[in-house]
Amino acid sequence: MSLHPVAIQGRERESDLSSVFSLQPLERFAPGQPVFWEGDEARHIFEVGDGMLRALRMLADGRRIIVGFLRPGDLLGVSLRERYIYTVEAITPVELRRFSRWRFEDVVARQPHLREQLFSRLCDEMTAAQDQTVLLSRRSADEKLANFLLMMAQDRHGDRTPVIDLPMARLDIADYLGMTIETVSRTITKLASSGIIASPVKRSIIVLKMQALQSIAEGDDNDHWAAPVAFR
Amino acid sequence: MSLHPVAIQGRERESDLSSVFSLQPLERFAPGQPVFWEGDEARHIFEVGDGMLRALRMLADGRRIIVGFLRPGDLLGVSLRERYIYTVEAITPVELRRFSRWRFEDVVARQPHLREQLFSRLCDEMTAAQDQTVLLSRRSADEKLANFLLMMAQDRHGDRTPVIDLPMARLDIADYLGMTIETVSRTITKLASSGIIASPVKRSIIVLKMQALQSIAEGDDNDHWAAPVAFR
DNA sequence: CGGATTCTTGAGAGCTGTCAATCGTTGTGG
DNA sequence: CCACAACGATTGACAGCTCTCAAGAATCCG
């Protein structure tokens, strides 16, 4: 007579979603390499161990829309349907663990707390999708980019670091924000020459004036641009 | 020894998510009336019985972003979190059925097929959110509006009627597509004077050339605008 | 080192936003 | 029933932002 299923279920018991994947072999993907394609039969779920990936959809005429960037701890293919609804490609070298979808569903179905976690993940993904909608809607290039930088500045605990890792190309940022690479480039230059950010190293950015960046992100198109490039 | 839980669970058994709501009293909302606000504690789930509603989020500076329109059969508040992530307001007179969230979760937890349905609904909502992202991203006013009309032309079985009911105001359309009411108005006028659509009655539109509308929706900025207003 | 790729910068055009006036509908009160 | 106010929709003129096209700079990689 056990009140604690953990005691009798043995290996069935998993403390959280991540541990479901923990025994799976590590798979490596090189930059640019696809993990799966939009429209593929959704046979597997993946957990990102290391690296960064992009999720994207293509329009008929070839326009590319990036619907999200994936980081360690994120799950790929959670929105379980017959087929994947977007393509996922590695940006940096990536390490993934794979789990077959039917086994995953089986494991999750047996364990209420895993169901809850999965449900919660799906809600997160929903919220993220909606946040991107809000980000794209009626906002200037300045606002979009500021919001993007703030988003990338968040580590996985939600804390904000001033040092931002930007492994993706300008084209990825552009296709995520719904603008052109030229405008992305110009906007970054503008932020840098205003002293709000600095980019000492390629593919990395440091936020010098977080407050100003937040103001821009929220659409306060007032000052903040006031040049701290003084004495020149 | 029953292989058919339905036989022994009695009233616990529900054939689908809708039937969970079917015994709840009908609540009516007048146009403009809010059902709940973004940030409210998420105490209830709703099913739309009749009418149309808008789901919206507000930015700090007052800009309004409509993240979706809701029609009969849709559920409100499926993305169960502590608090509602958007405000929902009636556009037309609306009839809803309400279910308390904790009872809903209880009922759903007991019945695997309801869990599946709920999960599926959430996936749908996720997909819809992402579709809106795609809709907003790097597309012209013409494309956006054509896509919007095609979306509203879909009935609940996914079939396409040429007669489109548009109970929402221009401002709602504009805030959904990320444009201004002026541009929405101009674009509709342009479509009408090209003979692609007609608007015999206020708040209703008829698609005269579905093929042309689809071409515009996909970004074929070629012809299609060629005036069939011939003989003038 | 040289070619390829990515990023930056510039000039000009086009689309959409802004501001403003007019039109049409709805609803209210005399 | 009509006049008028209030509101939403349409249309116009103009400006500004972002896109397009193009060239040059920087970086990557063999």
Side-chain angles (χ1 to χ4, degrees):
Chain A
M1 193 189 309
S2 169
L3 291 173
H4 299 92
V6 63
I8 57 168
Q9 290 191 345
R11 70 178 227 294
E12 280 282 316
R13 176 70 181 191
E14 310 282 355
S15 68
D16 63 11
L17 276 178
S18 283
S19 56
V20 171
F21 292 87
S22 60
L23 294 179
Q24 300 301 107
L26 216 54
E27 296 180 43
R28 288 168 209 281
F29 291 80
Q33 193 180 346
V35 177
F36 53 76
W37 294 86
E38 172 181 356
D40 278 1
E41 199 183 329
R43 290 212 184 89
H44 300 94
I45 314 276
F46 301 82
E47 188 193 32
V48 182
D50 193 40
M52 182 173 282
L53 305 97
R54 59 185 170 242
L56 56 94
R57 291 172 62 169
M58 287 286 210
L59 296 186
D61 60 0
R63 275 172 300 184
R64 203 180 71 140
I65 291 157
I66 293 197
V67 293
F69 294 104
L70 301 156
R71 296 196 277 195
D74 289 337
L75 297 185
L76 279 61
V78 183
S79 40
L80 303 158
R81 325 194 104 224
E82 269 301 287
R83 300 180 170 281
Y84 296 116
I85 57 176
Y86 43 69
T87 298
V88 170
E89 297 170 352
I91 291 176
T92 63
V94 159
E95 293 179 353
L96 300 180
R97 294 179 194 277
R98 179 195 303 252
F99 209 87
S100 103
R101 182 180 154 176
W102 66 268
R103 276 183 57 205
F104 184 78
E105 285 180 344
D106 192 53
V107 169
V108 168
R110 290 167 198 270
Q111 306 187 49
H113 76 291
L114 286 191
R115 281 207 309 266
E116 260 173 59
Q117 281 184 44
L118 181 63
F119 204 86
S120 170
R121 292 279 193 137
L122 192 48
C123 286
D124 288 345
E125 198 175 342
M126 225 287 304
T127 305
Q130 215 167 76
D131 286 344
Q132 195 187 359
T133 294
V134 171
L135 177 58
L136 286 171
S137 185
R138 299 262 261 129
R139 309 185 81 146
S140 70
D142 295 338
E143 271 181 271
K144 287 187 198 172
L145 196 66
N147 274 292
F148 171 72
L149 290 177
L150 289 175
M151 190 185 83
M152 298 305 291
Q154 306 247 102
D155 62 24
R156 92 172 355 278
H157 310 89
D159 299 324
R160 207 165 257 167
T161 355
V163 180
I164 306 178
D165 199 35
L166 286 184
M168 70 288 288
R170 291 284 182 273
L171 183 58
D172 291 332
I173 300 176
D175 287 346
Y176 180 74
L177 296 176
M179 26 199 266
T180 59
I181 53 172
E182 292 95 331
T183 303
V184 170
S185 184
R186 273 185 256 270
T187 307
I188 290 179
T189 301
K190 196 164 97 177
L191 283 169
S193 60
S194 300
I196 294 171
I197 63 172
S199 181
V201 185
K202 214 66 203 170
R203 314 238 133 163
S204 176
I205 277 182
I206 297 179
V207 181
L208 298 176
K209 307 207 287 182
M210 187 62 82
Q211 196 59 54
L213 194 62
Q214 286 172 346
S215 295
I216 294 168
E218 279 160 28
D220 300 12
D221 48 349
N222 310 327
D223 49 277
H224 305 302
W225 298 101
V229 277
F231 304 126
R232 242 190 356 139
Chain B
M1 193 189 307
S2 170
L3 291 173
H4 299 92
V6 63
I8 57 168
Q9 290 191 346
R11 72 178 225 294
E12 279 282 318
R13 174 72 182 190
E14 310 283 355
S15 68
D16 63 11
L17 276 178
S18 284
S19 56
V20 171
F21 292 88
S22 61
L23 294 180
Q24 301 300 109
L26 216 53
E27 296 180 42
R28 288 168 209 282
F29 292 79
Q33 194 179 345
V35 176
F36 54 76
W37 294 86
E38 173 180 356
D40 278 1
E41 198 182 330
R43 289 211 184 90
H44 299 95
I45 313 275
F46 301 82
E47 188 193 34
V48 182
D50 193 39
M52 181 172 283
L53 305 96
R54 58 183 170 243
L56 57 95
R57 291 172 63 171
M58 287 286 209
L59 297 187
D61 60 0
R63 276 173 299 184
R64 202 180 71 141
I65 292 158
I66 293 197
V67 293
F69 295 105
L70 301 156
R71 295 197 276 194
D74 289 337
L75 297 185
L76 279 61
V78 183
S79 41
L80 303 158
R81 326 193 103 226
E82 268 302 288
R83 301 182 170 279
Y84 296 116
I85 57 176
Y86 43 68
T87 298
V88 170
E89 297 170 351
I91 291 176
T92 64
V94 159
E95 294 179 352
L96 300 180
R97 294 181 194 277
R98 179 195 302 254
F99 210 87
S100 104
R101 183 179 154 176
W102 66 267
R103 275 184 57 206
F104 184 78
E105 286 181 344
D106 193 52
V107 169
V108 169
R110 291 167 199 269
Q111 305 188 50
H113 76 289
L114 286 191
R115 283 207 308 266
E116 261 173 58
Q117 280 184 44
L118 181 63
F119 204 87
S120 168
R121 292 279 193 138
L122 191 48
C123 286
D124 288 346
E125 198 174 342
M126 226 288 303
T127 305
Q130 215 167 75
D131 286 345
Q132 195 186 359
T133 295
V134 172
L135 178 59
L136 286 171
S137 185
R138 300 259 263 130
R139 309 185 79 145
S140 70
D142 296 337
E143 272 181 89
K144 287 187 199 172
L145 195 65
N147 275 292
F148 171 72
L149 290 177
L150 289 175
M151 190 186 85
M152 298 305 290
Q154 307 248 105
D155 61 23
R156 90 171 357 277
H157 309 89
D159 299 325
R160 207 166 256 167
T161 357
V163 181
I164 306 178
D165 200 35
L166 286 185
M168 70 287 288
R170 291 284 181 273
L171 184 58
D172 290 333
I173 301 176
D175 286 347
Y176 180 74
L177 296 177
M179 24 199 270
T180 60
I181 52 172
E182 292 94 332
T183 303
V184 170
S185 185
R186 273 186 256 269
T187 306
I188 289 178
T189 301
K190 196 164 94 174
L191 284 169
S193 60
S194 301
I196 293 171
I197 63 171
S199 181
V201 186
K202 215 69 199 167
R203 316 239 131 165
S204 176
I205 279 182
I206 297 179
V207 181
L208 299 175
K209 307 206 286 181
M210 187 61 81
Q211 196 59 54
L213 194 62
Q214 286 172 346
S215 295
I216 294 168
E218 280 161 26
D220 299 12
D221 49 346
N222 310 327
D223 50 279
H224 305 302
W225 298 101
V229 277
F231 306 127
R232 251 212 325 166

